[in-house]
Amino acid sequence: MGFDSAALLPLNDALASMLERLDCCCEAESVPLPLALGRILADDILSPLSVPPFDNSAMDGYAVRLADLAAGQPLTLAGKAFAGQPYEGDWPAGHCVRIMTGAPIPLGTDAVVMQEETKAEGDKVTFLSQPMQGQNIRRRGEDIAEGASVLGSGTRLTPRELPLLASLGIATLEVRRPLKVAIFSTGDELKPVGTPLAHGDIYDSNRYGVRAMLERMGIACLDLGIIPDDPAQLRAAFLKAEQEADALITTGGVSVGEADFTKQLLEELGEIGFWKLAIKPGKPFAFGRLPNAWFFGLPGNPVSAMVTFDQLVQPALAKLAGQRWTPPLRLCATTTEPLKKSPGRLDFQRGILSLGQNGPEVRSTGSQDSGVFSSLSRANCYIVLEQERGKVMAGETVTVEPFTGLLL
């Protein structure tokens, strides 16, 4: 597929075309573990040690040898083992060792009997159950073997990974430098929030959504504000963005009928394709290459801008940043009301997903016009209606895509 296309492009084809052209552009750098949250691993992590590093007790109880329990007689307490204070004394036959959770297993232990299944009187312990070999013992390397692959390159580090890495004693990490993305909005009608509106003016809202999603992705944002429909100012903004950032995202100015100089300027500066996507909302979309940065042109309608960023730009930026991207989870749900739909475009309607008596149910948030942003703010999922599907009746099964952390 070339850069330009007059036909309606299916979403998957447009995404595949972009991803085929993109590669990671972020160099590796070393950071200390406490500063690694949200960063993307540049290398695979192999475990430098076994976890746990020694056999240890999974319970508070008594370490025993099965042969000593065979006679069914009470055992004499030989000593105690605590986490950080292992038992290393003599362990005569007919004796047991009091042991706490996490303590190293004394040499010769066959099992640990939890304290609730024993009765202690002085230094004599009676066992109320017969344990199995290895019961309540966590073996060395049971969780992670030394040399095993722990995390792959491209993993974005979350609060789930940091304690794992700390448990391996890893103090510094090789991560990708943050991707830097420039953004601006175009249009003479756009005004900053906090200023009065004249007749015909609207507030610039798209930039706030795009910037928030970039921040959720851990991407550094260069916000150039609102650029009016003026060739000189647009040229200056494009040149600043492509010289200082890895990618540029604009909203507005990519639809048929909008200012011709925007398209001419983009094509003069680089190789840009103006696509018509077979999705709703979000048909107009631009993608291409400026001299030093990639370009993504989002439609001006607020919901269209958010949906195209979420579905197309997010995976593209993830690849530029060196992050492994996993397609979002989709599941089936039953509609509780009819949904309007005409064949021809893949439709991302905004819905409210809930759990009904017979499983997942979904209903619309109301008007699905691409300018009605409240339809997105009230939603917790997309209702993904297939390209050739028509109207949907109440009780039909549809595909839903719950919102991820990008939109939550």
Side-chain angles (χ1 to χ4, degrees):
M1 181 192 304
F3 270 102
D4 285 300
S5 177
L8 288 179
L9 298 178
L11 175 66
N12 288 340
D13 291 351
L15 180 57
S17 179
M18 286 197 303
L19 294 180
E20 184 181 357
R21 291 178 168 90
L22 302 176
D23 288 304
C24 174
C25 63
C26 296
E27 305 82 13
E29 60 185 17
S30 295
V31 300
L33 181 63
L35 301 182
L37 181 64
R39 302 297 293 272
I40 299 166
L41 286 177
D43 298 317
D44 294 340
I45 299 292
L46 304 182
S47 180
L49 48 81
S50 294
V51 180
F54 48 81
D55 293 353
N56 70 90
S57 178
M59 295 284 179
D60 290 344
Y62 295 89
V64 299
R65 290 173 295 223
L66 297 183
D68 290 336
L69 295 178
Q73 298 299 313
L75 301 183
T76 302
L77 190 64
K80 297 180 180 180
F82 297 91
Q85 300 178 33
Y87 176 79
E88 295 176 341
D90 293 333
W91 187 5
H95 287 65
C96 61
V97 176
R98 181 80 166 108
I99 193 166
M100 302 301 172
T101 303
I105 295 296
L107 185 64
T109 300
D110 293 320
V112 172
V113 181
M114 68 173 64
Q115 61 187 21
E116 291 84 357
E117 296 177 357
T118 65
K119 182 179 179 181
E121 295 180 355
D123 64 349
K124 298 293 184 182
V125 182
T126 300
F127 293 85
L128 308 179
S129 65
Q130 181 67 28
M132 297 174 57
Q133 179 75 36
Q135 183 172 306
N136 297 324
I137 296 176
R138 294 186 291 220
R139 297 297 183 187
R140 179 179 184 272
E142 185 177 284
D143 182 11
I144 303 172
E146 183 176 352
S149 177
V150 179
L151 296 172
S153 63
T155 299
R156 187 178 180 206
L157 298 172
T158 73
R160 291 178 287 118
E161 286 81 28
L162 295 191
L164 171 62
L165 295 170
S167 74
L168 302 175
I170 297 174
T172 59
L173 297 164
E174 288 294 305
V175 297
R176 298 291 178 184
R177 69 159 174 84
L179 188 73
K180 188 174 184 179
V181 174
I183 63 171
F184 64 78
S185 299
T186 61
D188 290 336
E189 77 282 8
L190 299 179
K191 295 296 180 285
V193 296
T195 60
L197 295 178
H199 181 65
D201 290 344
I202 59 173
Y203 287 120
D204 174 28
S205 60
N206 290 343
R207 231 172 359 107
Y208 293 92
V210 170
R211 180 167 183 160
M213 290 190 289
L214 289 173
E215 291 177 356
R216 282 288 177 89
M217 293 183 70
I219 293 173
C221 180
L222 173 62
D223 191 343
L224 300 179
I226 302 169
I227 308 299
D229 293 324
D230 174 78
Q233 292 188 58
L234 275 171
R235 175 184 288 274
F238 279 118
L239 291 176
K240 180 178 177 62
E242 67 93 16
Q243 290 167 7
E244 298 184 17
D246 302 300
L248 167 64
I249 300 174
T250 66
T251 59
V254 295
S255 298
V256 175
E258 297 193 64
D260 287 339
F261 55 76
T262 302
K263 181 176 180 180
Q264 293 171 2
L265 180 58
L266 284 168
E267 291 177 333
E268 174 190 334
L269 293 174
E271 184 185 9
I272 310 295
F274 290 80
W275 295 345
K276 296 178 181 178
L277 303 177
I279 66 171
K280 183 181 180 182
K283 182 169 69 172
F285 184 79
F287 166 71
R289 181 74 176 165
L290 295 169
N292 299 297
W294 292 96
F295 174 76
F296 304 91
L298 306 182
N301 280 322
V303 182
S304 301
M306 295 289 279
V307 171
T308 49
F309 184 105
D310 189 27
Q311 296 294 316
L312 279 170
V313 180
Q314 178 186 189
L317 295 181
K319 187 167 185 182
L320 289 175
Q323 178 182 355
R324 262 201 331 270
W325 181 78
T326 303
L329 173 70
R330 291 182 178 177
L331 50 92
C332 293
T334 302
T335 56
T336 61
E337 59 189 11
L339 302 174
K340 294 181 180 180
K341 169 74 166 67
S342 298
R345 287 195 280 168
L346 178 66
D347 200 344
F348 289 87
Q349 298 196 12
R350 282 70 70 201
I352 299 174
L353 179 65
S354 60
L355 185 62
Q357 292 184 344
N358 299 315
E361 295 179 345
V362 69
R363 60 185 175 89
S364 172
T365 56
S367 172
Q368 297 296 303
D369 187 274
S370 60
V372 180
F373 199 81
S374 59
S375 70
L376 187 61
S377 68
R378 291 194 297 266
N380 64 6
C381 72
Y382 296 121
I383 306 171
V384 186
L385 301 179
E386 299 84 353
Q387 185 168 335
E388 297 309 318
R389 190 166 187 170
K391 63 182 180 179
V392 178
M393 304 302 294
E396 287 190 37
T397 299
V398 294
T399 299
V400 296
E401 181 182 309
F403 287 165
T404 63
L406 198 64
L407 292 174
L408 290 178

